[in-house]
Amino acid sequence: MSNQKLTCVIVDDEPMARSMVEAYVNKTPFLVLKKTCKNAIEAMEFLKEEPVDLLFLDIQMPDLTGIEFSKMLPKDTRVIFTTAFNQYAVEGFKVEALDYLLKPFDYAEFLAAADKANKWFALVRGKQQSLLSEEKEFLFVKSEYKQLRIKLADVLYFEGLKDYIKIWLKDNPKPVLTLMSLKTLEDELPANKFMRVHRSFIVSLDNVDVIERSQILINKQRITVSEQYKPKFLEFINKNSFNA
């Protein structure tokens, strides 16, 4: 089971129902309540700013029902429906709700549903972690009638030259030359390790030494970040910057 807690929001137009579910959430160790909302519109505005893992969502609400709202949620946000009307059970499962709590429900029923959500997220996060651990560490390229095994950790950057690519490696003054397009290569590389910053360059993010204005310095080589790729590169910088 994952040790990571689940963030959640309660959405219900009945104050007593909101209070009851809030009390249940607060006594459940693996749940973290971010907000209680009296309708789907309020919840929608909150989720734009702060996405969460799980919604405890009433179905019959004014303006926008829980069923309608659930169809608008991001795929990573899951739902447990809370309702006084059992005729919605089939619709609830059609929108892939994790569970369906029929009011009035006690804490034991709530905990069973929450535990189901916890196990579901643990499974998904475990698979995601597994995929990351299996991320490719090398690639084979054809160069001078040979297939060369290139360790991605050794790559400084890739330089595109029409139909060819120069692969610049650590501790190697001469590049490896291979017949391939930069676009084809870009699709093969792990996105968290390599980034296209120019029509002619893909850089290893782990090997960027200095960023100065619109230029990157890698192993004494200056590479310009073109306007087309600047927004994505700036996003990477902002996520990884520490400003004292």
Side-chain angles (χ1 to χ4, degrees):
M1 177 132 349
S2 171
N3 293 321
Q4 192 170 348
K5 295 188 177 185
L6 303 182
T7 55
C8 62
V9 165
I10 298 164
V11 189
D12 201 309
D13 63 330
E14 300 174 9
M16 289 187 66
R18 286 199 304 273
S19 297
M20 179 189 71
V21 178
E22 182 175 355
Y24 288 169
V25 168
N26 288 335
K27 67 193 291 189
T28 306
F30 55 83
L31 296 178
V32 178
L33 182 62
K34 290 296 183 179
K35 189 171 179 62
T36 61
C37 302
K38 60 181 180 294
N39 57 54
I41 306 299
E42 183 184 352
M44 187 186 304
E45 290 303 309
F46 177 79
L47 293 175
K48 286 179 184 176
E49 301 298 324
E50 187 171 351
V52 299
D53 299 313
L54 186 63
L55 292 189
F56 292 97
L57 181 59
D58 187 22
I59 291 181
Q60 278 207 336
M61 294 184 293
D63 299 324
L64 192 65
T65 70
I67 297 288
E68 292 167 337
F69 182 41
S70 69
K71 295 175 182 178
M72 303 165 63
L73 294 172
K75 63 178 182 178
D76 294 334
T77 302
R78 303 311 302 268
V79 168
I80 293 176
F81 283 119
T82 60
T83 181
F85 303 94
N86 59 11
Q87 68 264 33
Y88 293 111
V90 173
E91 287 186 76
F93 286 111
K94 279 183 179 179
V95 295
E96 298 182 347
L98 290 179
D99 213 338
Y100 183 98
L101 288 168
L102 190 61
K103 298 175 184 176
F105 49 88
D106 58 23
Y107 180 63
E109 293 171 297
F110 173 89
L111 184 59
D115 187 57
K116 184 186 292 187
N118 199 28
K119 288 176 180 175
W120 186 89
F121 276 99
L123 180 64
V124 169
R125 287 166 177 170
K127 287 180 178 178
Q128 290 171 342
Q129 190 60 44
S130 176
L131 288 172
L132 286 175
S133 66
E134 293 172 6
E135 183 179 89
K136 67 166 62 180
E137 297 178 354
F138 60 88
L139 54 84
F140 282 96
V141 298
K142 189 173 182 180
S143 181
E144 297 179 355
Y145 307 104
K146 295 178 289 188
Q147 290 283 349
L148 300 182
R149 184 178 185 269
I150 304 291
K151 288 180 64 176
L152 293 181
D154 291 338
V155 175
L156 296 170
Y157 58 91
F158 299 91
E159 182 180 1
L161 299 168
K162 293 187 178 179
D163 297 327
Y164 286 85
I165 290 174
K166 286 183 179 180
I167 305 173
W168 294 90
L169 303 170
K170 296 176 184 176
D171 304 319
N172 193 341
K174 291 185 177 181
V176 173
L177 194 64
T178 184
L179 182 62
M180 185 189 299
S181 75
L182 214 58
K183 174 58 180 170
T184 300
L185 176 66
E186 185 180 10
D187 293 338
E188 292 294 320
L189 294 170
N192 63 327
K193 295 290 185 180
F194 292 88
M195 185 179 292
R196 184 89 170 258
V197 297
H198 187 276
R199 180 171 53 88
S200 302
F201 289 96
I202 296 174
V203 301
S204 165
L205 297 172
D206 288 340
N207 289 304
V208 173
D209 297 318
V210 177
I211 300 165
E212 185 179 1
R213 297 179 182 173
S214 294
Q215 289 193 321
I216 299 167
L217 188 64
I218 299 181
N219 197 34
K220 299 181 181 179
Q221 171 67 37
R222 287 189 177 273
I223 297 171
T224 299
V225 181
S226 66
E227 290 298 322
Q228 179 182 354
Y229 300 101
K230 193 176 289 185
K232 188 177 179 182
F233 186 68
L234 290 175
E235 182 182 350
F236 161 75
I237 295 173
N238 292 333
K239 283 183 178 179
N240 293 278
S241 292
F242 175 77
N243 298 313

